[in-house]
Amino acid sequence: MACALLFRLSLLLALTAPSPGKHLGPKSRLRYSRFLGPSNVILLRWDFDLEAEIITFELQVQTAGWVGLGVMNRYTFVGSDLVVGGVLPDGNVYFSDQHLVDEDTLEEDRSQDAELQGLTEDGIYTTMRFSRPFRSCDPHDQDIMGDTVRVLAAYGLNDTVELDRERTFVKSIFLLQIVHPDDLEVPEDTIIHDLEITDFLIPEDDTTYACTFLPLPIVSKKHHIYKFEPKLAPHNETMVHHILLYACGNASVLPTGISDCYGADPAFSLCSQVIAGWAVGGTVSPGFLGLYDSSGIRVYYTSQLRKYDMGVLQLGFFTFPIHFIPPGAESFMSYGLCKTEKFEEMNGAPVPDIQVYGYLLHTHLAGRALQAVQYRNGTQLRTICKDDSYDFNLQETRDLPARVEIKPGDELLVECHYQTLDRDSMTFGGPSTVNEMCLIFLFYYPRNNISSCHGYPDIIFVAHELGEEVSDPMEGMMAMNNVEWTPENIKKAEKACKEAQQTVLIKTIDEVVENTTGWIPNITPTPRGPCLESSGGKVEPQDKKPAGFRAAPMALPSSSATTLRCLPLTALLFVQGALSRLLGTLQTRG
């Protein structure tokens, strides 16, 4: 017999972020680190100054040759930038800001925007440390913004700078994470508890959603979960795509065992409030079929309560059954509207202003970009979050540089950008990776009872705009398979979806559902910030070496290689002995 228990969330406020205007000199500790290549050959450390918009990198490679670090274009090496350096046998150094003019050829930038802070070789490692602006005025430098960044690292075995694909690596990283996991306070009475699926046989399907109910330990008073992290079974890292932890409504008896999710078992409708989640983004290992998995989430909780309870609000396009994306699309936009005017009525009590401090973006393989935009009184207020370089294989909770306040009556719009040039059939919304989703999770405080707010268009209107005669939504969706998806019809469908009236579906943690309607507002693009002129000077063809070249760089401090722990959330979650279920997507790849 399961107990009927309450669920609460909390936010940790005692976090320390980098102080504004902090100067990162040659001996400053760089707080973030990540291995970029196999066998831990390449270690990247970095830190940044948000106020000055300067980022500092330190690249350490097991080589006595040249090393290079930069940012890659999304789809090609051409146009990528690469800062190159090394130490010659006589002890002199070389260092320059370059770019790729084709897949294999490097050319020096005429504007040198990377500032060398140190370059050493000790017989085992070559270590290069430099800083650069987030956005320089050099068109050959890729911008570093609040998007996913495809970091490009390369090295050679000697001092002849030539690219070799076997020693060139690309890794997607979100570089501008504000709060470091180590900044969390660790209460003395911390209790650690693992929520995991035990010995689940991974089937030979493309995608499996495995759900189970897991009781949390009974506690005598309110506790806060202040941290969680994934607990992946060894060698199964590539199998598990994401893990979600939901809070459940009151129930006297909950099922046992593991079964399918999302409609397969009505008992799972008791659980709709996401409270914790982990998704791909770490190192990928070779996968094998026929494995048993025991992955899950490890939670850290304490009786030392924080000031606020934390909530998660799910926004976007209602996944099934209306969502569709045509095949062969260079670009296709989907929109999901949220209207907060009914939040107070559905919450059953006044809703304080929502203070958003973090977010998580989610589409599947066709997704290329997402953004959430806020409107007040019919006027666009701000872009809450966005990523124009979304990578399906890097899904993690991200901090906002400044808190965003959502007031009752505000409208929130999620826009998702897809590309389906590699597909010759329709893509529909659904749970599998070959289906699509368009979701953004906002992490906020103080918590209210609203769990999700999704929108979807009038599919009958869309079908009529495409010349299809239909009388109900099911016919409307089926008619999408009859359309000849020319570039003209793709754009016509996108326009119709944006102009159609949206149904807004709002749900509470107790599965109370209300509908309203609205129209998709226009999005005014956020202007790009100013670029920073180079302090390193210009490189003219007659120059033998770039201006600002340093023949005697400052020595780097010694440091040991450490792996960044995967801690996707810095938020706190509280569950007072609540019954929760653990949901894992075990994705097998042949």
Side-chain angles (χ1 to χ4, degrees):
M1 183 70 69
C3 301
L5 299 164
L6 300 176
F7 164 76
R8 291 290 184 270
L9 293 166
S10 82
L11 168 73
L12 175 63
L13 296 181
L15 300 176
T16 56
S19 58
K22 178 181 68 176
H23 176 68
L24 296 169
K27 294 185 178 180
S28 299
R29 171 181 171 266
L30 304 184
R31 302 185 310 143
Y32 301 93
S33 63
R34 190 72 55 88
F35 283 107
L36 302 183
S39 305
N40 301 338
V41 171
I42 303 177
L43 175 66
L44 174 66
R45 295 186 180 91
W46 76 94
D47 209 336
F48 50 88
D49 183 333
L50 278 178
E51 185 177 274
E53 296 191 347
I54 297 290
I55 189 165
T56 300
F57 293 107
E58 181 180 291
L59 185 69
Q60 185 181 75
V61 186
Q62 292 183 29
T63 184
W66 67 272
V67 298
L69 182 75
V71 178
M72 180 184 167
N73 269 345
R74 177 160 189 166
Y75 301 109
T76 175
F77 280 91
V78 178
S80 303
D81 66 49
L82 196 69
V83 175
V84 173
V87 181
L88 295 169
D90 61 7
N92 288 321
V93 304
Y94 52 97
F95 175 81
S96 67
D97 184 3
Q98 306 192 19
H99 64 276
L100 279 83
V101 294
D102 57 38
E103 292 284 338
D104 303 298
T105 306
L106 280 166
E107 183 177 281
E108 200 166 58
D109 293 1
R110 294 193 63 186
S111 175
Q112 291 293 297
D113 298 280
E115 181 180 345
L116 181 63
Q117 293 186 354
L119 192 46
T120 62
E121 179 189 319
D122 62 7
I124 300 177
Y125 298 102
T126 294
T127 305
M128 178 174 67
R129 181 164 173 150
F130 66 93
S131 61
R132 56 151 287 183
F134 289 179
R135 183 184 176 213
S136 78
C137 298
D138 184 353
H140 291 304
D141 290 342
Q142 301 290 322
D143 291 352
I144 293 175
M145 304 175 70
D147 299 327
T148 298
V149 176
R150 286 160 178 80
V151 175
L152 172 64
Y155 71 97
L157 301 180
N158 54 45
D159 292 305
T160 302
V161 181
E162 293 179 346
L163 288 178
D164 183 334
R165 287 290 179 266
E166 293 184 359
R167 288 183 286 276
T168 302
F169 306 93
V170 177
K171 190 174 185 68
S172 290
I173 302 177
F174 181 64
L175 291 172
L176 303 185
Q177 189 70 288
I178 308 301
V179 179
H180 192 282
D182 289 345
D183 295 332
L184 283 167
E185 291 181 344
V186 180
E188 294 181 357
D189 67 342
T190 294
I191 303 170
I192 300 175
H193 182 72
D194 292 335
L195 296 164
E196 58 190 8
I197 289 177
T198 304
D199 294 332
F200 173 69
L201 179 61
I202 301 175
E204 297 187 18
D205 297 326
D206 287 338
T207 303
T208 298
Y209 283 82
C211 289
T212 189
F213 288 94
L214 298 168
L216 286 172
I218 301 298
V219 292
S220 59
K221 60 181 179 179
K222 180 175 178 178
H223 281 60
H224 280 162
I225 296 177
Y226 69 90
K227 183 175 76 170
F228 67 86
E229 59 192 2
K231 187 169 184 281
L232 302 179
H235 309 301
N236 287 10
E237 294 91 343
T238 189
M239 296 290 187
V240 182
H241 179 266
H242 67 268
I243 304 171
L244 294 176
L245 187 67
Y246 288 80
C248 299
N250 294 336
S252 57
V253 177
L254 294 177
T256 59
I258 302 172
S259 61
D260 291 336
C261 314
Y262 302 130
D265 189 335
F268 289 121
S269 65
L270 294 165
C271 317
S272 65
Q273 175 69 61
V274 175
I275 63 170
W278 168 87
V280 291
T283 303
V284 176
S285 304
F288 303 93
L289 299 179
L291 290 178
Y292 286 88
D293 186 64
S294 297
S295 297
I297 285 181
R298 171 167 289 177
V299 296
Y300 298 75
Y301 59 99
T302 174
S303 62
Q304 298 181 29
L305 303 183
R306 271 57 176 181
K307 183 177 181 179
Y308 294 108
D309 289 347
M310 189 275 290
V312 183
L313 177 61
Q314 186 180 153
L315 306 175
F317 197 117
F318 192 67
T319 299
F320 183 82
I322 301 299
H323 197 191
F324 75 90
I325 304 164
E330 171 71 33
S331 173
F332 189 84
M333 300 293 190
S334 293
Y335 299 90
L337 179 66
C338 171
K339 301 180 71 174
T340 67
E341 58 191 26
K342 286 195 173 185
F343 277 19
E344 185 166 313
E345 173 190 340
M346 296 183 65
N347 188 56
V351 176
D353 293 345
I354 295 172
Q355 311 295 329
V356 181
Y357 65 91
Y359 62 97
L360 185 146
L361 311 173
H362 182 68
T363 75
H364 291 172
L365 295 173
R368 295 295 181 268
L370 301 88
Q371 65 174 325
V373 184
Q374 180 183 11
Y375 300 82
R376 183 171 298 161
N377 300 323
T379 301
Q380 181 173 325
L381 193 61
R382 63 170 63 89
T383 298
I384 299 175
C385 58
K386 68 181 299 183
D387 191 339
D388 288 331
S389 300
Y390 176 80
D391 186 344
F392 173 75
N393 291 305
L394 181 65
Q395 300 181 45
E396 58 186 358
T397 300
R398 301 176 178 183
D399 309 311
L400 289 174
R403 187 188 64 205
V404 170
E405 186 173 77
I406 299 173
K407 291 183 174 294
D410 286 356
E411 293 188 355
L412 308 171
L413 178 64
V414 173
E415 177 192 71
C416 292
H417 177 196
Y418 299 98
Q419 186 183 87
T420 57
L421 291 174
D422 58 342
R423 303 187 184 192
D424 55 12
S425 60
M426 290 289 295
T427 299
F428 292 102
S432 172
T433 52
V434 297
N435 300 135
E436 264 307 333
M437 291 185 175
C438 174
L439 300 173
I440 293 181
F441 299 83
L442 298 183
F443 300 89
Y444 71 92
Y445 67 93
R447 173 194 172 273
N448 59 59
N449 291 322
I450 309 300
S451 63
S452 63
C453 186
H454 299 123
Y456 60 90
D458 179 355
I459 193 65
I460 298 177
F461 171 84
V462 175
H464 288 170
E465 291 295 294
L466 291 169
E468 300 291 329
E469 292 298 324
V470 301
S471 58
D472 61 54
M474 186 57 67
E475 285 186 0
M477 285 304 295
M478 293 178 64
M480 295 302 107
N481 287 311
N482 301 329
V483 177
E484 181 184 357
W485 289 112
T486 62
E488 293 75 21
N489 280 338
I490 290 172
K491 286 303 171 188
K492 186 182 292 186
E494 180 184 83
K495 182 174 183 288
C497 287
K498 187 175 182 182
E499 294 178 349
Q501 186 178 55
Q502 284 243 330
T503 296
V504 180
L505 190 148
I506 308 167
K507 185 183 292 186
T508 71
I509 187 174
D510 297 316
E511 298 297 314
V512 176
V513 178
E514 289 278 355
N515 288 348
T516 185
T517 58
W519 303 91
I520 299 298
N522 289 324
I523 297 176
T524 301
T526 303
R528 298 175 69 189
C531 61
L532 296 181
E533 290 287 354
S534 167
S535 61
K538 305 296 181 182
V539 178
E540 301 300 336
Q542 66 270 21
D543 290 346
K544 295 182 179 179
K545 54 191 177 183
F549 180 86
R550 299 183 181 183
M554 291 170 280
L556 293 172
S558 61
S559 55
S560 58
T562 58
T563 306
L564 180 66
R565 290 178 293 162
C566 181
L567 302 174
L569 268 184
T570 55
L572 298 175
L573 309 164
F574 159 70
V575 185
Q576 185 180 0
L579 290 166
S580 301
R581 72 178 172 95
L582 184 66
L583 164 67
T585 304
L586 307 177
Q587 183 181 5
T588 58
R589 301 171 183 173

